[in-house]
Amino acid sequence: MRKFLLLASLAVAGGCNRSTPTATAPVPATAPVVTVVKPQRKTVQRVVEQPGTVQAFEEVTLFAKIPGYVRALSADPDKASHSEHDRLIDIGSRVKKDQILAELSVPELEEEFKQKEATARQYAAEVQQATKAHAAATAGVTAAKAQVAEAKAGLTRAQALYDRWQSEATRAAKLVTGGVIDAQTRDETVNQFKAAEAGKAEADAKVTSADAAVAKAQADAEKAIADVTTAEARLDVAKADVRRVDALRGYTRLKAPFDGIVTRRAVSAGDFTAADGKHSLFAVARIDPVRVVFQVPEADAGLVTAGQDVKLALQGLSPGGTGKVTRTSWSLDPGSRTLRVEVDLPNPEGKVRPGTYAKVRLTADVPPDWSLPAAAVGKANDEAVVYLVEDGKAVRVGVQLARGDAQTTQVLRFKRSGTTAWVDFTGTELIATPSASLSDGQPISVGP
């Protein structure tokens, strides 16, 4: 303990004899050297990259139109070398337009079709019969008109006899008065006149009768025409019934709507198909071409136009390919605020399958506007800012941005701290870069 206290005393004495060092003055900080740029009007090339999905160009689900039993599934000629259990139309079968996939059996429909055909034949016979009756009626009109002509000729002859004997009777009466002929001769002449008068009346009656016969024949002909029209109308109705039932018979054959591939089969031979629109039998997809569908955000939707070039990268397929924008939805989806864009991609060999993931890259030229290097634009308090060079200091101002790429950012207006007014860029502003190392009011040194 004594030794410890002695050593401690010596240490304290030695420390008291040391001199206190003099305080050193702070070294002034060196102002950072920055590069100064001015806004320039430039066209920015905007790159839009979005994920997409491959979809079938068309896909149709087939239902039964009429109820019935499945008679048989059609054979698949592309599967002739497979096992006998895999030779029918099934998923993966490539089909052609109007190729029959399956046939239904509806016996009562076949019987109804035969009945409608028989009815049509019956009405066709009635049309033929009515047509012949019309021809006969037309001939009757012609014959009646001939009788009228004959009767009129007889009337002319009777009128001539009447006129002759009337004249003879008048002359005979005068001759009797003059004593030239006797009364008996006059009476004979008068009797001849009366006979001619009766013949004329008979001829008149015959003409009237012949005219009536013509009217009746014409009426019969018109009725025959109406009968033909009626029979033809009945035949048209019968034929329409035949076509209707035949159209229903067509629904017993389920056909491929286009060239494609069967993606779903939910029926077998012997199944009963209900025409309720709820239970589909087949699904057929058209896979040449296919659609590559992707969504473009609202900010870039205005840059997308039909015919624009795009680069495609498909999952599992290398190398990628190129295409063109085929169509857009034009309007944005109100939920996601995105624009639906589609690219039609030829697929003759069927290598691109619907459902495949796609990566789409689209490049568009943005119209020229005031632009700055991307390094000159920073961020402070979640606000885009740039630093103006004024009196050797960096002055931070808020800035409104347009579009940009990795190297350039388009700017619209700026606003000084503590103000509410936005000021348009003029191209004379001095902007410090890079902005990441600066703070508001910091002295700076402008480099070359």
Side-chain angles (χ1 to χ4, degrees), residues 148-403:
V148 168
E150 182 180 355
K152 286 183 176 180
L155 177 60
T156 302
R157 184 168 60 253
Q159 182 67 43
L161 289 174
Y162 174 83
D163 292 341
R164 175 193 170 195
W165 290 112
Q166 184 183 37
S167 175
E168 288 291 335
T170 302
R171 187 171 64 85
K174 292 180 180 180
L175 292 176
V176 168
T177 303
V180 177
I181 61 173
D182 55 13
Q184 183 179 1
T185 303
R186 180 199 63 189
D187 293 340
E188 291 177 356
T189 302
V190 170
N191 289 335
Q192 288 290 341
F193 170 68
K194 290 179 179 180
E197 188 177 23
K200 177 178 175 298
E202 181 183 2
D204 282 334
K206 287 182 178 180
V207 170
T208 302
S209 176
D211 286 336
V214 169
K216 181 180 181 303
Q218 288 177 334
D220 291 342
E222 292 174 358
K223 180 180 180 300
I225 293 175
D227 290 343
V228 170
T229 302
T230 302
E232 289 176 342
R234 284 197 295 263
L235 177 60
D236 289 340
V237 172
K239 287 181 177 179
D241 275 345
V242 170
R243 291 192 297 269
R244 180 184 64 83
V245 178
D246 192 39
L248 292 176
R249 291 173 68 231
Y251 291 124
T252 62
R253 296 179 292 275
L254 297 175
K255 299 180 180 180
F258 40 69
D259 293 355
I261 190 167
V262 176
T263 59
R264 182 176 179 273
R265 182 197 123 186
V267 65
S268 298
D271 282 346
F272 177 76
T273 62
D276 55 6
K278 297 179 181 178
H279 303 89
S280 61
L281 307 184
F282 294 93
V284 180
R286 180 179 175 186
I287 59 171
D288 184 22
V290 291
R291 302 172 189 256
V292 180
V293 181
F294 60 100
Q295 306 291 336
V296 174
E298 179 180 5
D300 297 320
L303 301 177
V304 182
T305 58
Q308 197 167 2
D309 292 331
V310 295
K311 291 184 178 180
L312 304 172
L314 303 179
Q315 190 73 22
L317 294 177
S318 180
T322 60
K324 292 182 180 294
V325 173
T326 306
R327 65 188 68 82
T328 72
S329 62
W330 189 79
S331 63
L332 302 182
D333 179 79
S336 62
R337 306 294 180 187
T338 56
L339 177 73
R340 179 185 173 98
V341 183
E342 295 184 2
V343 177
D344 289 353
L345 188 64
N347 190 30
E349 298 179 3
K351 292 183 178 180
V352 182
R353 300 172 183 265
T356 300
Y357 174 82
K359 187 175 181 181
V360 184
R361 180 185 176 92
L362 183 148
T363 304
D365 289 334
V366 180
D369 210 333
W370 293 116
S371 302
L372 293 172
V377 182
K379 204 167 190 180
N381 300 325
D382 294 329
E383 179 186 22
V385 297
V386 297
Y387 290 89
L388 301 178
V389 177
E390 295 180 349
D391 299 328
K393 294 182 179 181
V395 179
R396 186 171 65 201
V397 296
V399 64
Q400 285 185 343
L401 305 180
R403 296 185 176 92

Side-chain angles (χ1 to χ4, degrees), residues 373-437:
V377 182
K379 204 167 190 180
N381 300 325
D382 294 329
E383 179 186 22
V385 297
V386 297
Y387 290 89
L388 301 178
V389 177
E390 295 180 349
D391 299 328
K393 294 182 179 181
V395 179
R396 186 171 65 201
V397 296
V399 64
Q400 285 185 343
L401 305 180
R403 296 185 176 92
D405 54 24
Q407 290 78 32
T408 306
T409 300
Q410 289 186 335
V411 292
L412 302 176
R413 301 181 296 176
F414 65 91
K415 180 176 65 174
R416 294 181 180 274
S417 178
T419 65
T420 58
W422 289 94
V423 180
D424 293 331
F425 281 96
T426 62
T428 60
E429 295 81 7
L430 299 178
I431 311 267
T433 182
S435 63
S437 61

